[in-house]
Amino acid sequence: ANFIGENTARPSELITLPPSTAPSDLPTLLPSSMPSQEDLMTRLKEILLSTSTFLGPSGFPNETEFEDPQSIPYQVFDWMVNVDEQTRLIVRNEENDDYVRSIWLIERFVMVHLYLSTDGPNWNSQLNFMTNTHICEWNDVEVGNGVGCTDEGFVESLFLQDIGMVG
């Protein structure tokens, strides 16, 4: 088992290889294909719903919010499953244990939830939110706004000053 700090390559740093054209008897470092849409949805929902363990029974998200297209959790989940390639890279990243991958997915969900629930598309600066980059790149280093991370790629700070947040 890997522990935090060991083999913690960021998803954006992973090598992506095209699927092989023929089966091989040799093991590969990374799977040769992405998780199926259904597998990704199931795994992501399982991880996000497990947050109630430490957020308490009233913590978000809850099962019904994932089924309401008008809810922010549904919109975030839909984006992560259907648009965001980083989510797929995190799920298939076997260099890190389930705990590390779960934290990366929860952090990504929370940041996108914050962005959408505060009128992010109309912020003065988008700070790379909801782009196909690692969450630690969702910032403007020159201004000092955005997500700040540890060397291992975990969110440790968030600074959003004068960007036009609403909500």
PDB file of all heavy atoms in Angstrom, residues 12 79 83-89 108 128-135 137-138:
ATOM      1  N   SER A  12      -2.192  15.051 -13.692  1.00  0.00           N
ATOM      2  CA  SER A  12      -1.760  15.722 -14.910  1.00  0.00           C
ATOM      3  C   SER A  12      -0.344  15.340 -15.308  1.00  0.00           C
ATOM      4  O   SER A  12       0.086  15.621 -16.411  1.00  0.00           O
ATOM      5  CB  SER A  12      -1.867  17.241 -14.744  1.00  0.00           C
ATOM      6  OG  SER A  12      -1.038  17.670 -13.679  1.00  0.00           O
ATOM      7  N   TRP A  79     -20.428  17.070 -14.963  1.00  0.00           N
ATOM      8  CA  TRP A  79     -19.199  17.590 -15.569  1.00  0.00           C
ATOM      9  C   TRP A  79     -18.031  16.636 -15.324  1.00  0.00           C
ATOM     10  O   TRP A  79     -17.271  16.340 -16.247  1.00  0.00           O
ATOM     11  CB  TRP A  79     -18.874  18.988 -15.016  1.00  0.00           C
ATOM     12  CG  TRP A  79     -17.584  19.535 -15.537  1.00  0.00           C
ATOM     13  CD1 TRP A  79     -17.373  20.103 -16.759  1.00  0.00           C
ATOM     14  CD2 TRP A  79     -16.318  19.544 -14.867  1.00  0.00           C
ATOM     15  NE1 TRP A  79     -16.045  20.471 -16.878  1.00  0.00           N
ATOM     16  CE2 TRP A  79     -15.387  20.136 -15.736  1.00  0.00           C
ATOM     17  CE3 TRP A  79     -15.891  19.110 -13.613  1.00  0.00           C
ATOM     18  CZ2 TRP A  79     -14.051  20.303 -15.387  1.00  0.00           C
ATOM     19  CZ3 TRP A  79     -14.557  19.278 -13.269  1.00  0.00           C
ATOM     20  CH2 TRP A  79     -13.653  19.874 -14.150  1.00  0.00           C
ATOM     21  N   VAL A  83     -17.253  15.239 -18.912  1.00  0.00           N
ATOM     22  CA  VAL A  83     -16.380  16.216 -19.562  1.00  0.00           C
ATOM     23  C   VAL A  83     -14.941  16.127 -19.056  1.00  0.00           C
ATOM     24  O   VAL A  83     -14.004  16.146 -19.845  1.00  0.00           O
ATOM     25  CB  VAL A  83     -16.924  17.657 -19.349  1.00  0.00           C
ATOM     26  CG1 VAL A  83     -15.989  18.687 -19.971  1.00  0.00           C
ATOM     27  CG2 VAL A  83     -18.328  17.793 -19.904  1.00  0.00           C
ATOM     28  N   ASP A  84     -14.770  16.032 -17.773  1.00  0.00           N
ATOM     29  CA  ASP A  84     -13.461  16.172 -17.138  1.00  0.00           C
ATOM     30  C   ASP A  84     -12.578  14.939 -17.302  1.00  0.00           C
ATOM     31  O   ASP A  84     -12.816  13.907 -16.685  1.00  0.00           O
ATOM     32  CB  ASP A  84     -13.668  16.475 -15.646  1.00  0.00           C
ATOM     33  CG  ASP A  84     -12.367  16.767 -14.938  1.00  0.00           C
ATOM     34  OD1 ASP A  84     -11.463  17.363 -15.558  1.00  0.00           O
ATOM     35  OD2 ASP A  84     -12.258  16.400 -13.755  1.00  0.00           O
ATOM     36  N   GLU A  85     -11.538  15.073 -18.102  1.00  0.00           N
ATOM     37  CA  GLU A  85     -10.600  13.958 -18.301  1.00  0.00           C
ATOM     38  C   GLU A  85      -9.752  13.717 -17.058  1.00  0.00           C
ATOM     39  O   GLU A  85      -9.300  12.601 -16.811  1.00  0.00           O
ATOM     40  CB  GLU A  85      -9.699  14.224 -19.508  1.00  0.00           C
ATOM     41  CG  GLU A  85     -10.420  14.100 -20.833  1.00  0.00           C
ATOM     42  CD  GLU A  85     -10.965  12.695 -21.069  1.00  0.00           C
ATOM     43  OE1 GLU A  85     -10.267  11.707 -20.775  1.00  0.00           O
ATOM     44  OE2 GLU A  85     -12.107  12.594 -21.544  1.00  0.00           O
ATOM     45  N   GLN A  86      -9.529  14.743 -16.245  1.00  0.00           N
ATOM     46  CA  GLN A  86      -8.741  14.565 -15.027  1.00  0.00           C
ATOM     47  C   GLN A  86      -9.413  13.573 -14.070  1.00  0.00           C
ATOM     48  O   GLN A  86      -8.742  12.807 -13.401  1.00  0.00           O
ATOM     49  CB  GLN A  86      -8.526  15.911 -14.324  1.00  0.00           C
ATOM     50  CG  GLN A  86      -7.527  16.801 -15.032  1.00  0.00           C
ATOM     51  CD  GLN A  86      -6.122  16.242 -15.000  1.00  0.00           C
ATOM     52  OE1 GLN A  86      -5.628  15.839 -13.959  1.00  0.00           O
ATOM     53  NE2 GLN A  86      -5.479  16.207 -16.152  1.00  0.00           N
ATOM     54  N   THR A  87     -10.741  13.605 -14.012  1.00  0.00           N
ATOM     55  CA  THR A  87     -11.452  12.649 -13.156  1.00  0.00           C
ATOM     56  C   THR A  87     -11.127  11.225 -13.588  1.00  0.00           C
ATOM     57  O   THR A  87     -10.831  10.362 -12.758  1.00  0.00           O
ATOM     58  CB  THR A  87     -12.976  12.895 -13.210  1.00  0.00           C
ATOM     59  OG1 THR A  87     -13.247  14.185 -12.670  1.00  0.00           O
ATOM     60  CG2 THR A  87     -13.738  11.851 -12.426  1.00  0.00           C
ATOM     61  N   ARG A  88     -11.127  10.971 -14.880  1.00  0.00           N
ATOM     62  CA  ARG A  88     -10.797   9.630 -15.381  1.00  0.00           C
ATOM     63  C   ARG A  88      -9.354   9.258 -15.048  1.00  0.00           C
ATOM     64  O   ARG A  88      -9.071   8.123 -14.668  1.00  0.00           O
ATOM     65  CB  ARG A  88     -11.025   9.547 -16.879  1.00  0.00           C
ATOM     66  CG  ARG A  88     -12.489   9.597 -17.259  1.00  0.00           C
ATOM     67  CD  ARG A  88     -12.648   9.501 -18.782  1.00  0.00           C
ATOM     68  NE  ARG A  88     -14.044   9.589 -19.136  1.00  0.00           N
ATOM     69  CZ  ARG A  88     -14.880   8.563 -19.134  1.00  0.00           C
ATOM     70  NH1 ARG A  88     -14.459   7.370 -18.793  1.00  0.00           N
ATOM     71  NH2 ARG A  88     -16.142   8.728 -19.465  1.00  0.00           N
ATOM     72  N   LEU A  89      -8.441  10.214 -15.178  1.00  0.00           N
ATOM     73  CA  LEU A  89      -7.041   9.938 -14.860  1.00  0.00           C
ATOM     74  C   LEU A  89      -6.862   9.621 -13.376  1.00  0.00           C
ATOM     75  O   LEU A  89      -6.103   8.725 -13.020  1.00  0.00           O
ATOM     76  CB  LEU A  89      -6.156  11.126 -15.255  1.00  0.00           C
ATOM     77  CG  LEU A  89      -5.990  11.355 -16.751  1.00  0.00           C
ATOM     78  CD1 LEU A  89      -5.220  12.648 -17.003  1.00  0.00           C
ATOM     79  CD2 LEU A  89      -5.285  10.175 -17.407  1.00  0.00           C
ATOM     80  N   ARG A 108     -11.741  18.050  -5.904  1.00  0.00           N
ATOM     81  CA  ARG A 108     -12.163  18.527  -7.219  1.00  0.00           C
ATOM     82  C   ARG A 108     -13.666  18.830  -7.214  1.00  0.00           C
ATOM     83  O   ARG A 108     -14.102  19.871  -7.695  1.00  0.00           O
ATOM     84  CB  ARG A 108     -11.811  17.478  -8.281  1.00  0.00           C
ATOM     85  CG  ARG A 108     -11.794  17.998  -9.691  1.00  0.00           C
ATOM     86  CD  ARG A 108     -11.057  17.015 -10.597  1.00  0.00           C
ATOM     87  NE  ARG A 108     -10.902  17.546 -11.927  1.00  0.00           N
ATOM     88  CZ  ARG A 108      -9.936  18.357 -12.320  1.00  0.00           C
ATOM     89  NH1 ARG A 108      -9.020  18.757 -11.465  1.00  0.00           N
ATOM     90  NH2 ARG A 108      -9.873  18.810 -13.558  1.00  0.00           N
ATOM     91  N   ASN A 128      -8.624  29.311 -14.093  1.00  0.00           N
ATOM     92  CA  ASN A 128      -8.514  27.952 -14.647  1.00  0.00           C
ATOM     93  C   ASN A 128      -9.486  26.957 -14.045  1.00  0.00           C
ATOM     94  O   ASN A 128      -9.326  25.747 -14.233  1.00  0.00           O
ATOM     95  CB  ASN A 128      -7.084  27.399 -14.527  1.00  0.00           C
ATOM     96  CG  ASN A 128      -6.106  28.157 -15.364  1.00  0.00           C
ATOM     97  OD1 ASN A 128      -6.417  28.554 -16.478  1.00  0.00           O
ATOM     98  ND2 ASN A 128      -4.929  28.396 -14.823  1.00  0.00           N
ATOM     99  N   PHE A 129     -10.485  27.422 -13.278  1.00  0.00           N
ATOM    100  CA  PHE A 129     -11.460  26.495 -12.707  1.00  0.00           C
ATOM    101  C   PHE A 129     -12.184  25.762 -13.837  1.00  0.00           C
ATOM    102  O   PHE A 129     -12.430  26.317 -14.901  1.00  0.00           O
ATOM    103  CB  PHE A 129     -12.487  27.244 -11.849  1.00  0.00           C
ATOM    104  CG  PHE A 129     -12.076  27.404 -10.414  1.00  0.00           C
ATOM    105  CD1 PHE A 129     -10.972  28.174 -10.064  1.00  0.00           C
ATOM    106  CD2 PHE A 129     -12.786  26.775  -9.403  1.00  0.00           C
ATOM    107  CE1 PHE A 129     -10.599  28.326  -8.746  1.00  0.00           C
ATOM    108  CE2 PHE A 129     -12.419  26.919  -8.061  1.00  0.00           C
ATOM    109  CZ  PHE A 129     -11.321  27.698  -7.742  1.00  0.00           C
ATOM    110  N   MET A 130     -12.495  24.521 -13.594  1.00  0.00           N
ATOM    111  CA  MET A 130     -13.196  23.643 -14.528  1.00  0.00           C
ATOM    112  C   MET A 130     -12.453  23.470 -15.850  1.00  0.00           C
ATOM    113  O   MET A 130     -13.054  23.305 -16.894  1.00  0.00           O
ATOM    114  CB  MET A 130     -14.638  24.112 -14.766  1.00  0.00           C
ATOM    115  CG  MET A 130     -15.510  23.954 -13.529  1.00  0.00           C
ATOM    116  SD  MET A 130     -17.241  24.366 -13.793  1.00  0.00           S
ATOM    117  CE  MET A 130     -17.789  22.967 -14.784  1.00  0.00           C
ATOM    118  N   THR A 131     -11.119  23.485 -15.776  1.00  0.00           N
ATOM    119  CA  THR A 131     -10.321  23.161 -16.957  1.00  0.00           C
ATOM    120  C   THR A 131      -9.746  21.766 -16.760  1.00  0.00           C
ATOM    121  O   THR A 131      -9.735  21.233 -15.659  1.00  0.00           O
ATOM    122  CB  THR A 131      -9.168  24.178 -17.159  1.00  0.00           C
ATOM    123  OG1 THR A 131      -8.327  24.165 -15.995  1.00  0.00           O
ATOM    124  CG2 THR A 131      -9.706  25.572 -17.417  1.00  0.00           C
ATOM    125  N   ASN A 132      -9.254  21.197 -17.825  1.00  0.00           N
ATOM    126  CA  ASN A 132      -8.706  19.852 -17.791  1.00  0.00           C
ATOM    127  C   ASN A 132      -7.259  19.882 -17.288  1.00  0.00           C
ATOM    128  O   ASN A 132      -6.335  19.444 -17.965  1.00  0.00           O
ATOM    129  CB  ASN A 132      -8.799  19.214 -19.175  1.00  0.00           C
ATOM    130  CG  ASN A 132      -8.467  17.740 -19.129  1.00  0.00           C
ATOM    131  OD1 ASN A 132      -8.657  17.084 -18.108  1.00  0.00           O
ATOM    132  ND2 ASN A 132      -7.938  17.217 -20.216  1.00  0.00           N
ATOM    133  N   THR A 133      -7.081  20.463 -16.106  1.00  0.00           N
ATOM    134  CA  THR A 133      -5.771  20.532 -15.468  1.00  0.00           C
ATOM    135  C   THR A 133      -5.922  20.053 -14.034  1.00  0.00           C
ATOM    136  O   THR A 133      -7.025  19.961 -13.514  1.00  0.00           O
ATOM    137  CB  THR A 133      -5.232  21.984 -15.456  1.00  0.00           C
ATOM    138  OG1 THR A 133      -6.166  22.823 -14.764  1.00  0.00           O
ATOM    139  CG2 THR A 133      -5.007  22.507 -16.862  1.00  0.00           C
ATOM    140  N   HIS A 134      -4.796  19.773 -13.410  1.00  0.00           N
ATOM    141  CA  HIS A 134      -4.834  19.396 -11.999  1.00  0.00           C
ATOM    142  C   HIS A 134      -5.376  20.572 -11.200  1.00  0.00           C
ATOM    143  O   HIS A 134      -5.123  21.730 -11.528  1.00  0.00           O
ATOM    144  CB  HIS A 134      -3.432  19.008 -11.518  1.00  0.00           C
ATOM    145  CG  HIS A 134      -3.438  18.365 -10.171  1.00  0.00           C
ATOM    146  ND1 HIS A 134      -3.483  19.105  -9.016  1.00  0.00           N
ATOM    147  CD2 HIS A 134      -3.423  17.063  -9.801  1.00  0.00           C
ATOM    148  CE1 HIS A 134      -3.494  18.278  -7.981  1.00  0.00           C
ATOM    149  NE2 HIS A 134      -3.453  17.027  -8.434  1.00  0.00           N
ATOM    150  N   ILE A 135      -6.119  20.278 -10.154  1.00  0.00           N
ATOM    151  CA  ILE A 135      -6.754  21.304  -9.331  1.00  0.00           C
ATOM    152  C   ILE A 135      -5.732  22.314  -8.790  1.00  0.00           C
ATOM    153  O   ILE A 135      -6.049  23.480  -8.571  1.00  0.00           O
ATOM    154  CB  ILE A 135      -7.565  20.655  -8.186  1.00  0.00           C
ATOM    155  CG1 ILE A 135      -8.489  21.659  -7.529  1.00  0.00           C
ATOM    156  CG2 ILE A 135      -6.663  19.975  -7.202  1.00  0.00           C
ATOM    157  CD1 ILE A 135      -9.453  21.018  -6.552  1.00  0.00           C
ATOM    158  N   GLU A 137      -3.533  23.722 -10.317  1.00  0.00           N
ATOM    159  CA  GLU A 137      -3.266  24.723 -11.362  1.00  0.00           C
ATOM    160  C   GLU A 137      -4.439  25.678 -11.532  1.00  0.00           C
ATOM    161  O   GLU A 137      -4.431  26.515 -12.430  1.00  0.00           O
ATOM    162  CB  GLU A 137      -2.943  24.007 -12.676  1.00  0.00           C
ATOM    163  CG  GLU A 137      -1.673  23.188 -12.578  1.00  0.00           C
ATOM    164  CD  GLU A 137      -1.400  22.375 -13.839  1.00  0.00           C
ATOM    165  OE1 GLU A 137      -1.876  22.744 -14.922  1.00  0.00           O
ATOM    166  OE2 GLU A 137      -0.713  21.350 -13.710  1.00  0.00           O
ATOM    167  N   TRP A 138      -5.435  25.572 -10.668  1.00  0.00           N
ATOM    168  CA  TRP A 138      -6.594  26.456 -10.738  1.00  0.00           C
ATOM    169  C   TRP A 138      -6.294  27.716  -9.940  1.00  0.00           C
ATOM    170  O   TRP A 138      -6.802  27.943  -8.858  1.00  0.00           O
ATOM    171  CB  TRP A 138      -7.842  25.759 -10.210  1.00  0.00           C
ATOM    172  CG  TRP A 138      -8.332  24.650 -11.086  1.00  0.00           C
ATOM    173  CD1 TRP A 138      -7.765  24.192 -12.239  1.00  0.00           C
ATOM    174  CD2 TRP A 138      -9.484  23.847 -10.887  1.00  0.00           C
ATOM    175  NE1 TRP A 138      -8.485  23.159 -12.765  1.00  0.00           N
ATOM    176  CE2 TRP A 138      -9.567  22.925 -11.945  1.00  0.00           C
ATOM    177  CE3 TRP A 138     -10.471  23.805  -9.906  1.00  0.00           C
ATOM    178  CZ2 TRP A 138     -10.570  21.988 -12.077  1.00  0.00           C
ATOM    179  CZ3 TRP A 138     -11.482  22.864 -10.026  1.00  0.00           C
ATOM    180  CH2 TRP A 138     -11.535  21.972 -11.097  1.00  0.00           C
TER     181      TRP A 138
END
